[in-house]
Amino acid sequence: MKIHELFQAMAKHNASDLHIKVGEPPIFRISGELVRMKSAPLTAEDTDQLLRGLLSDKQKANLDARGYEDFSQSVEGTGRFRCNVFRSCGALSAAVRRVRPRIPSYEELSLPPAVGKCALYEQGLVLMGGITGSGKSTTIAAILNDINAKRRAHIITIEDPIEYQFINDKSLINQREIGLDVVNFAEALRSAVREDPDVMLLGEMRDAETFETALTAAETGHLVFGTIHSSGAAQTIGRILDLFQPNKHEQIRTSLAFNLRCVMNQKLLASTDKAKPQIPAVEMMFITPIIKKLILEGEDAKVAEALAKDVENGCENYNKVLARLYREKKITMETALAIAPNPEELKMSMRGITISDGGIV
């Protein structure tokens, strides 16, 4: 068994992921479910032979030094793969994500039309939240490719590793991979603002320095995209502030209120369509005048309520998204209720009952 044969099997069976671990046969994730290959369990020698051949000498040194290595791999005639090789119980394991051969459109991804508004901004910060594997990178790639098709802009991406490879259309796109094109994320951030970008993708916003760089870039006229791990759009404000010391919160609130344009949060759900076994549920929070005021005044607890009540600006909280997908017969009630932040409110919404300040309507 060779690793490229497993990559080919991923493409053949439309698997999103491949897991390699000692004591198990190769495991594919197909339509969201883990499926074991019908073969013998792998030994430590098997995983070593499968995985070390993918690594350069520098990557092997990184793996030995820190216990993991991220990189991308292209296989001619098969596609691109995002690989994470790591140590587990003293042996090598891997998680491999298959990257689509081309960047899909909003329609192909079944994204709500409101996502397209994010490509129209000239300046500001757009954040995408969600857990690993929820399709954040694919949605952002679709937005960037929309800009690429419609605007003459210089787009710079900082990625670890590069997933989708863009083809210049109206825009000029430079993609920089950490470890390959630039030594580390901090250096990439520092140099990006000096490279005359109009649009920037900064990847995962995991620390205060990254957020401050993103906000500064947004303040100075750039459109900046980033991802963040958060449970919902309304909770993202608190998640950002947690990265900073309390004495900086007022400054960050002001910057967010004036520069944040939209916060999305995405989950992948089981679909009722067998041809498309998964469908994204995308919570959309545009920074409306009311939400801007709440951010400035520190009324974070009221942001979720303002998001739920918005009907004019394209905002949609998870319960509204789930109710809509259920009415469109794209998901089952069981699927909707399983991930709903407020299942009882969702049940009422599905029955046409809404809650206002005055009670049940």
Side-chain angles (χ1 to χ4, degrees), residues 324-335:
R324 172 175 56 78
L325 292 175
Y326 172 71
R327 285 195 300 272
E328 293 171 353
K329 302 187 186 313
K330 293 178 179 177
I331 60 173
T332 65
M333 180 177 287
E334 291 73 22
T335 296

Side-chain angles (χ1 to χ4, degrees), residues 41-202:
L42 298 169
T43 65
E45 184 179 354
D46 292 333
T47 62
D48 208 69
Q49 288 179 348
L50 281 170
L51 300 173
R52 282 199 174 269
L54 293 172
L55 302 168
S56 66
D57 290 342
K58 182 180 177 181
Q59 289 168 336
K60 288 174 185 175
N62 287 341
L63 174 64
D64 292 338
R66 63 186 185 182
Y68 73 94
E69 179 67 356
D70 289 310
F71 58 96
S72 57
Q73 183 80 12
S74 292
V75 181
E76 189 173 350
T78 303
R80 283 177 56 80
F81 302 85
R82 186 181 72 190
C83 308
N84 179 281
V85 177
F86 57 96
R87 290 200 169 278
S88 175
C89 298
L92 289 186
S93 293
V96 178
R97 167 67 51 85
R98 185 167 68 96
V99 180
R100 293 172 187 248
R102 67 176 186 84
I103 301 167
S105 66
Y106 303 138
E107 293 77 15
E108 288 170 318
L109 292 171
S110 300
L111 292 169
V115 170
K117 289 176 64 175
C118 297
L120 302 178
Y121 295 121
E122 295 284 339
Q123 171 273 338
L125 177 62
V126 176
L127 294 176
M128 166 61 85
I131 63 171
T132 301
S134 60
K136 301 187 298 292
S137 298
T138 303
T139 296
I140 290 180
I143 296 170
L144 292 179
N145 213 35
D146 188 18
I147 295 172
N148 182 30
K150 295 175 180 176
R151 284 170 51 188
R152 301 189 186 280
H154 181 203
I155 302 172
I156 289 180
T157 73
I158 300 172
E159 302 176 70
D160 185 18
I162 288 172
E163 294 187 43
Y164 291 97
Q165 289 187 313
F166 292 88
I167 298 172
N168 292 344
D169 190 350
K170 287 188 176 179
S171 293
L172 169 68
I173 305 177
N174 278 298
Q175 296 179 258
R176 307 194 73 197
E177 182 168 319
I178 304 301
L180 178 64
D181 302 309
V182 62
V183 64
N184 57 43
F185 193 70
E187 290 295 329
L189 282 177
R190 275 192 284 272
S191 67
V193 293
R194 297 194 293 270
E195 291 156 3
D196 187 35
D198 299 296
V199 180
M200 301 165 66
L201 168 61
L202 300 186

Side-chain angles (χ1 to χ4, degrees), residues 268-288:
L268 280 182
L269 308 182
S271 165
T272 56
D273 183 354
K274 290 182 179 179
K276 286 187 176 180
Q278 290 184 299
I279 188 169
V282 187
E283 188 174 51
M284 303 286 303
M285 184 175 81
F286 294 100
I287 307 307
T288 65

Side-chain angles (χ1 to χ4, degrees), residues 229-290:
H229 286 280
S230 62
S231 58
Q235 291 74 37
T236 300
I237 305 302
R239 176 75 182 87
I240 295 169
L241 291 171
D242 286 345
L243 298 173
F244 294 89
Q245 295 297 322
N247 62 349
K248 296 200 74 172
H249 283 192
E250 186 175 349
Q251 173 194 339
I252 299 303
R253 281 188 183 281
T254 301
S255 187
L256 286 172
F258 286 97
N259 294 290
L260 189 59
R261 296 289 174 261
C262 178
V263 180
M264 296 175 279
N265 199 278
Q266 182 164 306
K267 301 178 192 292
L268 280 182
L269 308 182
S271 165
T272 56
D273 183 354
K274 290 182 179 179
K276 286 187 176 180
Q278 290 184 299
I279 188 169
V282 187
E283 188 174 51
M284 303 286 303
M285 184 175 81
F286 294 100
I287 307 307
T288 65
I290 292 173

